[in-house]
């Protein structure tokens, strides 16, 4: 029978390291031999993490369900119909999709999360437009801005995770995505407000980003310049 020299926990004969503090087991009187069958699977920690994530997501979902039910009952008792509670329930649904839906997946699927987030926001904005009988702002402004932000997030994810993009190419690609998004945002706002595109602030925001992206591309292409900057910055 062996005990951990660091934390004192009793060790099974099949243990090569302490399961509590991960200290290696060194017992000259009883050298370690691999048993014919391990007493537990190798992936036990990963499985427990998945269970914990889903359990936490389910618990948080129940917490979000409580204010949704309270607002629904208060609205029905006070007005006899659903008047303002759908706005609160829709906002809680957005919180659920943004914050809790990723917890139910075993592997991160960022593009799917972005698509679900954009669809939920679009449905919420469409409901507000239908409830107020005013679609004048939804199609020319609300929906395009939502899609632009979703496309920007997707572009940044692709830039970070694409195998063909590495080094300084990644921040350069992200800066280009943000610059394009700024121009598109002002385009939507101008077309909605005055019917024509009059760029004012978007070129001021996009130009420095494009210049910085060009500098990053130049540095990445010239290895000598890249090494010199690293030496100067002690990287």
């Amino acid at each position: 029978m062996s005990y951990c020299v660091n934390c004192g926990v009793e060790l099974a004969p099949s243990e090569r390291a302490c399961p509590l503090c991960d200290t290696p087991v060194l017992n000259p009187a009883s050298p370690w031999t691999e048993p014919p069958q391990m007493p537990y699977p190798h992936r036990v920690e990963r499985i427990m993490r998945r269970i914990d994530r889903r359990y936490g997501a389910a618990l948080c979902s129940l917490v979000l369900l409580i204010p949704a039910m309270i607002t629904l009952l208060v609205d029905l008792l006070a007005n006899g119909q659903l008047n303002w509670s759908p706005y609160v329930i829709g906002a809680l649904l957005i919180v659920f999709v943004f914050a809790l839906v990723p917890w139910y997946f075993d592997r991160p699927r960022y593009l799917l999360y972005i698509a679900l987030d954009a669809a939920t926001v679009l449905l919420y904005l469409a409901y507000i437009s239908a409830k107020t009988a005013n679609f004048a702002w939804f199609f020319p402004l609300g929906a395009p801005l939502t899609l632009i932000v979703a496309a920007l997030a997707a572009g940044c994810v692709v830039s970070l995770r694409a195998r063909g993009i590495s080094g300084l190419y990644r921040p350069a690609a992200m800066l280009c995505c943000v610059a394009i998004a700024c121009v598109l945002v002002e385009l939507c706002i101008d077309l909605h407000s005055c019917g024509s595109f009059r760029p004012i602030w978007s070129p001021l925001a996009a130009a420095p980003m494009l210049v910085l992206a060009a500098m990053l591309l130049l540095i990445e292409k010239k290895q000598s310049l890249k090494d010199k900057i690293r030496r100067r910055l002690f990287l």
Side-chain angles (χ1 to χ4, degrees), residues 94 120-130 135 137-138 142-143 146:
I94 291 177
T120 306
V121 172
L122 286 175
L123 288 175
Y124 186 56
L125 296 178
Y127 174 79
I128 295 174
S129 299
F135 282 93
W137 60 271
F138 175 74
T146 303

Side-chain angles (χ1 to χ4, degrees), residues 32 39 75-76 118 123 136 141 147 161 169 171 177 190 211 219-220:
W32 183 84
D75 194 13
L76 287 175
L123 288 175
L141 191 63
L147 294 177
R161 298 179 63 86
Y169 291 115
C177 291
D190 287 349
V211 171
I219 294 173
E220 184 65 26

Side-chain angles (χ1 to χ4, degrees), residues 114-184:
I114 293 172
L116 292 175
D117 296 345
T120 306
V121 172
L122 286 175
L123 288 175
Y124 186 56
L125 296 178
Y127 174 79
I128 295 174
S129 299
K131 188 72 173 179
T132 57
N134 182 13
F135 282 93
W137 60 271
F138 175 74
F139 291 107
L141 191 63
L145 291 179
T146 303
L147 294 177
I148 289 171
V149 173
L152 171 61
C156 292
V157 169
V158 171
S159 301
L160 289 174
R161 298 179 63 86
R163 295 182 179 179
I165 304 177
S166 61
L168 296 179
Y169 291 115
R170 290 180 176 178
M174 294 176 64
L175 287 172
C176 292
C177 291
V178 176
I180 295 173
C182 291
V183 176
L184 293 178

Side-chain angles (χ1 to χ4, degrees), residues 51-166:
I51 295 174
D52 291 342
R53 283 172 59 89
R54 292 178 179 176
Y55 177 77
L59 183 61
C60 293
S61 301
L62 292 176
V63 172
L64 288 179
L65 188 61
I66 295 174
M69 296 300 298
I70 292 175
T71 54
L72 182 65
L73 292 176
V74 171
D75 194 13
L76 287 175
L77 293 176
N79 303 312
Q81 60 180 354
L82 298 180
N83 189 7
W84 53 268
S85 58
Y87 297 106
V88 179
I89 295 174
L92 293 174
L93 179 62
I94 291 177
V95 173
F96 170 78
V97 174
F98 272 68
L100 299 181
V101 166
W103 292 12
Y104 288 98
F105 290 89
D106 295 333
R107 296 180 179 179
R109 301 177 180 178
Y110 299 106
L111 295 179
L112 177 61
Y113 303 156
I114 293 172
L116 292 175
D117 296 345
T120 306
V121 172
L122 286 175
L123 288 175
Y124 186 56
L125 296 178
Y127 174 79
I128 295 174
S129 299
K131 188 72 173 179
T132 57
N134 182 13
F135 282 93
W137 60 271
F138 175 74
F139 291 107
L141 191 63
L145 291 179
T146 303
L147 294 177
I148 289 171
V149 173
L152 171 61
C156 292
V157 169
V158 171
S159 301
L160 289 174
R161 298 179 63 86
R163 295 182 179 179
I165 304 177
S166 61

Side-chain angles (χ1 to χ4, degrees), residues 148 177-190 197 199 201-203 205-207 210:
I148 289 171
C177 291
V178 176
I180 295 173
C182 291
V183 176
L184 293 178
V185 167
E186 188 174 19
L187 173 63
C188 293
I189 295 174
D190 287 349
F197 182 40
W201 60 267
S202 60
L210 294 176

